Amino acid sequence: MPAVRQTLFSMLVLLGLSAHASPLTLAAALERASVASPEVQLAARVLQEAEASRVGAGVFLPTNPRLFVDYRRLASPPPMDPLNGYNLGLDGTLEVSGAGWSRVAEAERRVELARSELVTTQTLARVRAWTAFIEVQVARLRVSIHEEALATASRVETATRERQKNGVVGEPDVVAAALERVSVRVQLEEARRLMRLAHASLRQVLDLGPEEPLDLEGDLAEPPTAADEEALVRGAVERRPELASVRARLALIEATEGRLARETFPKLTYILGFDAAPASPVFGYAGLGVELPVAQRNQGPRAVTAAQLETEKVRLETELRRVRRDVATSHRAYAHRLNQLELLSKEAVPQAERFEDLVEEGWKAGRFDLFRLTAATRELNRVRRERLETLSSAWADYVELQRASGALNP
């Protein structure tokens, strides 16, 4: 039933998101990735397989009862005695150790492990969706920068041709201006190609068809400041799905160990029957038997399980240390990235814009040549692109910090 509820919930979410009016918000993209990503759909199927392992886990009869009957006839019958007889009986094995309940507990732990692994897959899908969402926004801004640069190059080329008509400049300046416009045009085409690839990446993680509309809401803003490092570490230890998976695997192995220990307890056998042998009274019979523990059983699987248990304990300790390192590294890298972004946004870009304006004014006044203006325009475009790429990297670092701190769990 939980698997059915999960499937119905996923269908409702997908239907709701399909009917969602454009543009697509980040929250809607993350929610859709949590249920529609191909990896998530497969992980949900694995969860359903784990839930199916509950069926029949608590049966306390190791084997089905055996019904037997035989026909008996006297080889040398005495006078007046019956010649024919029969024996009808039922036997089987009973498990009185409680191993059935242990198998039920083991199945429950298996379901918990599959569920935690589903959460891990959903978290990674949300990371990919957020990253792809940012890539689309960055690609859109990159196209805008190159379109603005193309407009500037076209304006300069037109002005240069007017100057040639007036005899102010020669043919080399006109060719240089045209070459600059073509170069910016090529860069614009490349930016549009990257935008299509970014859209394709987002469609992949959202499991959308190539013809479905995909318009995003809003532009890419400045990333927020990060919370305190210690608080993020504490949250990561509590929320990271990888740690939950290791703990669930530990619980599963402990349940397996308990089940194997109970299965070493001797099983009982029973027998019930009705005997009507020839030349003898007719009687019923019943009996119990017990396995003799002549040799150890399950010693191989129990040894392997004990070794796996120790391995998972070491894995948990290793994962805890790795989680703390991940948060610390991501937090510090993000802080440096924010400093870079602030320098570019508040100093480099305004100064490059001012420098380009001054050079263009000087060029119009005849104090600077075209090559000085072209160099200033290229520098402005370079600084703008650097600021955009740093903004993209800052958001990627922020998403990684959110993942490392466990804040992206569905």
Side-chain angles (χ1 to χ4, degrees):
M1 289 303 295
V4 175
R5 289 196 296 269
Q6 176 69 22
T7 303
L8 291 176
F9 173 76
S10 301
M11 292 177 60
L12 291 175
V13 170
L14 291 176
L15 288 174
L17 291 173
S18 299
H20 189 277
S22 59
L24 180 69
T25 65
L26 175 61
L30 297 183
E31 187 64 29
R32 181 180 179 94
S34 298
V35 295
S37 172
E39 296 80 5
V40 171
Q41 296 183 42
L42 291 176
R45 291 297 312 168
V46 172
L47 174 58
Q48 293 180 1
E49 292 177 8
E51 290 176 341
S53 68
R54 293 168 170 163
V55 178
V59 175
F60 64 93
L61 296 176
T63 60
N64 288 328
R66 185 177 69 94
L67 178 66
F68 59 89
V69 61
D70 61 70
Y71 169 73
R72 301 179 180 186
R73 180 179 177 86
L74 285 175
S76 299
M80 305 301 295
D81 282 340
L83 300 179
N84 301 318
Y86 62 89
N87 181 37
L88 176 65
L90 183 74
D91 65 12
T93 306
L94 292 174
E95 205 169 41
V96 295
S97 63
W101 297 113
S102 295
R103 286 191 290 271
V104 172
E106 187 180 15
E108 292 295 333
R109 300 293 81 77
R110 190 176 296 110
V111 170
E112 291 302 321
L113 174 58
R115 185 173 290 116
S116 65
E117 290 178 345
L118 173 60
V119 172
T120 300
T121 305
Q122 289 176 318
T123 300
L124 295 178
R126 290 166 72 89
V127 170
R128 291 193 298 271
W130 199 345
T131 302
F133 197 93
I134 292 171
E135 289 175 354
V136 172
Q137 292 179 315
V138 169
R140 189 166 57 188
L141 291 175
R142 189 184 294 116
V143 169
S144 299
I145 289 175
H146 288 296
E147 287 177 344
E148 185 176 348
L150 179 61
T152 300
S154 300
R155 186 176 69 251
V156 170
E157 182 185 9
T158 301
T160 303
R161 293 186 184 278
E162 291 296 327
R163 287 189 167 201
Q164 183 190 29
K165 291 179 181 179
N166 297 330
V168 178
V169 297
E171 185 68 19
D173 284 354
V174 174
V175 174
L179 179 61
E180 182 65 17
R181 178 184 58 79
V182 172
S183 177
V184 174
R185 179 76 179 273
V186 171
Q187 295 174 5
L188 175 59
E189 291 300 321
E190 175 65 12
R192 288 171 175 168
R193 184 186 72 85
L194 293 177
M195 184 168 66
R196 289 188 177 276
L197 291 179
H199 274 87
S201 178
L202 183 56
R203 291 178 188 278
Q204 172 66 25
V205 70
L206 299 183
D207 199 23
L208 292 174
E211 303 302 327
E212 295 185 60
L214 187 60
D215 298 324
L216 306 189
E217 181 181 73
D219 293 323
L220 193 62
E222 297 279 336
T225 57
D228 179 70
E229 183 176 316
E230 288 300 322
L232 292 175
V233 169
R234 289 193 300 269
V237 171
E238 295 175 359
R239 299 191 299 260
R240 278 286 286 268
E242 297 94 329
L243 295 177
S245 294
V246 176
R247 295 187 181 105
R249 194 173 295 110
L250 263 173
L252 173 59
I253 294 174
E254 290 173 349
T256 301
E257 189 176 45
R259 186 258 302 171
L260 290 173
R262 288 182 177 275
E263 286 181 348
T264 61
F265 193 84
K267 297 180 178 66
L268 296 180
T269 60
Y270 64 89
I271 184 169
L272 301 171
F274 186 77
D275 194 328
S280 70
V282 177
F283 58 89
Y285 58 90
L288 286 176
V290 63
E291 289 180 325
L292 297 178
V294 177
Q296 290 182 338
R297 295 175 298 166
N298 285 348
Q299 56 182 349
R302 292 181 71 186
V304 172
T305 302
Q308 290 176 339
L309 188 61
E310 294 302 318
T311 300
E312 292 305 319
K313 290 179 180 178
V314 173
R315 192 194 307 276
L316 180 58
E317 295 174 358
T318 304
E319 284 292 315
L320 284 170
R321 293 194 297 271
R322 186 177 68 84
V323 164
R324 293 188 176 95
R325 284 195 301 268
D326 285 352
V327 174
T329 301
S330 299
H331 186 271
R332 295 164 192 175
Y334 181 59
H336 288 297
R337 190 76 73 179
L338 287 181
N339 292 336
Q340 295 176 8
L341 183 60
E342 183 177 9
L343 288 172
L344 288 168
S345 298
K346 295 184 178 180
E347 296 187 33
V349 172
Q351 291 176 2
E353 290 175 345
R354 179 59 179 162
F355 178 66
E356 197 270 344
D357 289 340
L358 291 174
V359 172
E360 186 173 356
E361 290 176 3
W363 176 73
K364 291 178 179 178
R367 295 193 298 271
F368 300 131
D369 59 19
L370 177 65
F371 302 100
R372 182 73 177 270
L373 175 60
T374 301
T377 302
R378 287 177 179 175
E379 181 64 14
L380 173 59
N381 292 333
R382 184 192 68 79
V383 173
R384 283 176 173 173
R385 290 195 301 270
E386 184 178 358
R387 187 258 174 191
L388 179 60
E389 298 306 324
T390 303
L391 177 63
S392 174
S393 299
W395 270 110
D397 289 346
Y398 179 74
V399 173
E400 172 60 21
L401 181 59
Q402 295 295 100
R403 183 204 65 81
S405 62
L408 277 180
N409 294 0

